[in-house]
């Protein structure tokens, strides 16, 4: 949707990441890759795949360079498109890929064999993903931990869907008009790129959460009626 001529989102519910601040976590200029290892997160368990491309400049920081998503596409076509663009943007890069463990779930093919989206990525695209963490609390908290740190996360301004998700597109739905909210974020067009981000963040920074407890309702958490949020 557009608000005053600029892209924006309508928030209906409670933000998943109340620590997010656009002026802090979104870079003013496009981020640059400097030749280091690239870590990709994949939501590869359905027909709305997504991928985020990240780097770790220092031990406690993550930068999101690129997002890929589609509202409906088969896994092989999507993965090959991501692979092709990454090869152009980051020539000779070394990749580590983390994905939804559910991407390994088998399904039957037309010829009666069984495969999975993860297996198709390996066989047809040459990308071997590692299983990430399915525990949602660990996943949300790994991203929340980065947002709470000074310079913990920086996002390229071109990652519009990811940014709009942080601003409210990715949220806990309100149950009726009760003021209470569901235990899981709503599944929508923003959730897939956010799942992808969580899958990579939790594998890299999950071990740092030993002494970290995500507050159940942080101070800036928003229980709200519909509100239009402008994205510059």
């Amino acid at each position: 949707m557009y608000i005053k001529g600029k892209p924006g989102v309508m928030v209906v519910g409670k933000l998943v990441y109340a620590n997010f601040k656009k002026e802090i976590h979104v870079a003013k200029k496009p981020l640059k890759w400097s030749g280091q290892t690239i870590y990709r997160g994949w939501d590869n368990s359905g027909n709305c795949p997504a991928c985020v491309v990240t780097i770790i400049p220092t031990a406690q920081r993550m930068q999101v360079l690129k997002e890929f998503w589609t509202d409906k596409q088969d896994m092989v076509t999507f993965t090959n498109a991501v692979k092709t663009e990454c090869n152009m943007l980051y020539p000779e890069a070394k990749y580590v890929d983390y994905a939804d463990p559910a991407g390994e779930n088998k399904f039957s093919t037309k010829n009666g064999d069984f495969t999975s989206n993860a297996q198709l990525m390996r066989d047809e695209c040459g990308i071997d993903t590692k299983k990430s963490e399915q525990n949602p609390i660990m996943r949300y908290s790994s991203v929340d931990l980065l947002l709470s740190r000074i310079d913990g996360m920086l996002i390229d301004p071109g990652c519009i869907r990811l940014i709009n998700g942080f601003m409210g597109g990715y949220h806990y739905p309100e149950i009726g008009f009760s003021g209470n909210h569901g235990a899981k974020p709503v599944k929508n067009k923003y959730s897939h790129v956010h799942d992808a981000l969580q899958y990579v963040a939790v594998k890299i920074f999950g071990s740092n959460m030993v002494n970290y407890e995500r507050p159940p309702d942080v101070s800036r958490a928003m229980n709200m009626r519909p509100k239009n949020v402008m994205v510059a």
Side-chain angles (χ1 to χ4, degrees):
M1 65 176 297
Y2 283 79
I3 305 167
K4 297 182 179 179
K6 296 183 178 182
V9 297
M10 176 176 285
V11 181
V12 184
K14 185 175 76 173
L15 301 183
V16 175
Y17 300 115
N19 282 324
F20 176 79
K21 287 188 174 181
K22 184 171 181 283
E23 64 272 19
I24 294 174
H25 296 114
V26 178
K28 302 298 186 294
K29 298 179 179 179
L31 298 176
K32 295 183 179 180
W33 175 62
S34 302
Q36 63 267 70
T37 298
I38 289 175
Y39 298 86
R40 291 183 295 203
W42 298 80
D43 181 3
N44 64 341
S45 60
N47 61 0
C48 301
C51 176
V52 295
V53 177
T54 73
I55 56 174
I56 312 301
T58 64
Q60 304 299 320
R61 297 168 59 204
M62 171 179 277
Q63 292 185 356
V64 183
L65 303 182
K66 186 78 174 174
E67 67 176 12
F68 296 94
W69 52 264
T70 175
D71 290 327
K72 188 172 183 180
Q73 195 169 60
D74 69 90
M75 200 67 229
V76 171
T77 302
F78 176 77
T79 303
N80 279 330
V82 172
K83 181 179 177 180
T84 298
E85 186 158 354
C86 283
N87 287 341
M88 290 189 297
L89 293 173
Y90 320 111
E92 300 183 10
K94 177 183 177 181
Y95 296 95
V96 178
D97 294 282
Y98 296 107
D100 184 354
E104 298 284 356
N105 293 346
K106 300 289 186 179
F107 56 85
S108 60
T109 64
K110 292 181 179 179
N111 60 12
D113 295 330
F114 288 88
T115 188
S116 66
N117 277 350
Q119 191 64 48
L120 288 170
M121 292 174 71
R122 287 189 283 269
D123 294 345
E124 304 294 333
C125 312
I127 294 181
D128 189 8
T129 60
K130 304 175 187 296
K131 290 182 183 180
S132 186
E133 173 63 53
Q134 279 191 320
N135 184 303
I137 301 302
M138 288 187 65
R139 286 164 41 198
Y140 308 152
S141 295
S142 64
V143 176
D144 206 41
L145 176 62
L146 290 169
L147 294 172
S148 69
R149 289 176 176 157
I150 297 175
D151 296 328
M153 178 174 286
L154 192 62
I155 304 168
D156 188 278
C159 298
I160 299 298
R161 184 163 287 194
L162 191 70
I163 294 167
N164 282 354
F166 272 118
M167 295 185 70
Y170 185 57
H171 63 273
Y172 296 106
E174 185 174 6
I175 301 172
F177 294 96
S178 64
N180 298 317
H181 297 83
K184 296 181 180 180
V186 66
K187 283 291 184 182
N188 59 17
K189 66 181 183 180
Y190 305 102
S191 63
H192 304 293
V193 287
H194 274 272
D195 285 348
L197 177 63
Q198 293 162 18
Y199 290 135
V200 64
V202 71
K203 293 302 290 185
I204 297 173
F205 299 100
S207 61
N208 296 333
M209 295 189 297
V210 174
N211 297 315
Y212 175 76
E213 291 187 11
R214 187 182 185 201
D217 189 12
V218 292
S219 59
R220 290 192 300 277
M222 301 173 70
N223 294 327
M224 60 179 64
R225 299 295 182 219
K227 178 180 179 181
N228 295 334
V229 179
M230 184 180 297
V231 181

